[in-house]
Amino acid sequence: MTGGSSIGVGLRVFLRDNFSNPARNIRREMRAMTATNKQAMRDNMRDARNMGAIGTMVGVGMMRGMAGWVDAGAKFKYEMQMVKAIAEDVDNTLGKLEGHGRTLAKKTMFTSQEVASGMAYMARAGLDSKEIFQNIEAAVNLAGATQTRLGGKMGSADVLTNIMRQFEIAPEMSEMLADRLTMVTTSSNIQLYDLADAFRYVGTTAHTMGLGVETIAAGIGTLGDMGLQGSIAGTALENALRYTSRALSETRTKRQGDALKNVG
């Protein structure tokens, strides 16, 4: 599509350096990890066949348990390789993320693989290693408090990051934001997914008009109690803000001016 132009050549070099090479590294690491896992399972199966009947049953049970551990460890490693391939390393925090993820898994209801998945979604959203380190615990707490998943699309890590981006919220404020989002979802008739879906439609307009997350979240929660949830609530709020903004401007119509007078 780009032919031989300098722009086309530059684009191909950029894509190769920023996407092809990291992806190739991930595939190489995963192939090596898969080969090691398969060999370990083959060794265990061979040992199990050499045991007696009772010993074999015990060996098979142990092998199944070990296979589960290997599988969970492989998934964690895969997600962390994704984070390391995508996220920019700031203040040498990239090497600390794996240990941080395991620590969070030990003291919460989530597995290390789920924590790593949350980190991966933050990396995809453009957060660097330091920002991921600062924000992942808030995402873990948000998922636990709202009983939602941590990683994946529309998981708490994805939701928290998107809203922070929309309202330009600093990483050190992530815990406070998580508390606000938890309060709204647990005190109104909406789920975290509904809240996130609504913010997709109204967040940018609200921030442009100088309105904070708390104000918009309260509006979404109020509409949720009325049965208006998700994108419906977000669209309704966005329309209300847009119409009000026009009515307050110097180019407002007589009808808009009359409507403002009617509501004082």
Side-chain angles (χ1 to χ4, degrees):
M1 291 186 296
T2 56
S5 69
S6 60
I7 294 178
V9 172
L11 179 59
R12 288 196 295 273
V13 171
F14 173 81
L15 291 174
R16 182 196 65 200
D17 292 345
N18 289 275
F19 295 95
S20 299
N21 288 341
R24 192 179 300 111
N25 292 338
I26 291 173
R27 288 195 298 270
R28 184 171 60 249
E29 291 290 338
M30 289 309 299
R31 281 196 297 268
M33 203 180 311
T34 300
T36 301
N37 293 343
K38 286 182 177 179
Q39 185 59 49
M41 292 183 68
R42 282 195 294 267
D43 291 343
N44 279 300
M45 291 178 68
R46 183 193 61 222
D47 293 342
R49 285 195 299 268
N50 293 333
M51 298 173 67
I54 297 177
T56 299
M57 293 302 295
V58 174
V60 169
M62 291 176 61
M63 184 181 66
R64 288 175 178 171
M66 291 179 65
W69 300 335
V70 169
D71 183 57
K75 288 179 179 179
F76 174 72
K77 286 289 187 180
Y78 175 82
E79 294 288 359
M80 292 310 303
Q81 285 293 339
M82 183 69 69
V83 174
K84 292 176 181 178
I86 300 173
E88 177 187 358
D89 191 9
V90 175
D91 294 342
N92 295 319
T93 51
L94 195 57
K96 301 176 184 178
L97 288 179
E98 186 168 330
H100 189 43
R102 293 187 187 279
T103 299
L104 288 174
K106 288 179 180 178
K107 65 180 185 178
T108 66
M109 60 185 286
F110 299 100
T111 66
S112 58
Q113 188 270 329
E114 289 171 322
V115 176
S117 176
M119 289 182 178
Y121 265 83
M122 288 183 168
R124 291 187 185 100
L127 271 64
D128 59 43
S129 60
K130 185 176 181 179
E131 291 171 331
I132 294 172
F133 192 94
Q134 292 174 316
N135 293 335
I136 187 61
E137 187 167 0
V140 170
N141 293 337
L142 177 61
T146 58
Q147 298 182 5
T148 55
R149 68 179 185 273
L150 172 57
K153 187 64 177 174
M154 281 298 186
S156 67
D158 185 36
V159 171
L160 187 70
T161 303
N162 289 343
I163 295 177
M164 291 180 70
R165 288 296 195 192
Q166 277 187 316
F167 287 85
E168 299 180 295
I169 297 173
E172 57 267 21
M173 302 296 290
S174 60
E175 284 288 354
M176 185 187 72
L177 176 59
D179 289 343
R180 299 293 188 274
L181 300 181
T182 296
M183 181 178 66
V184 172
T185 54
T186 55
S187 61
S188 57
N189 187 28
I190 59 172
Q191 300 294 322
L192 185 63
Y193 175 86
D194 300 317
L195 188 65
D197 202 26
F199 265 110
R200 287 172 53 201
Y201 290 84
V202 69
T204 302
T205 300
H207 181 55
T208 301
M209 295 179 65
L211 298 173
V213 171
E214 294 89 346
T215 300
I216 300 305
I220 294 172
T222 300
L223 290 176
D225 289 340
M226 299 167 61
L228 303 175
Q229 300 164 343
S231 60
I232 297 175
T235 301
L237 272 179
E238 202 278 335
N239 287 337
L241 293 178
R242 220 162 11 92
Y243 296 152
T244 301
S245 178
R246 290 178 185 176
L248 290 171
S249 70
E250 295 180 356
T251 59
R252 62 178 173 270
T253 64
K254 182 180 183 302
R255 183 179 180 183
Q256 290 171 337
D258 292 341
L260 285 180
K261 291 178 182 178
N262 289 336
V263 296

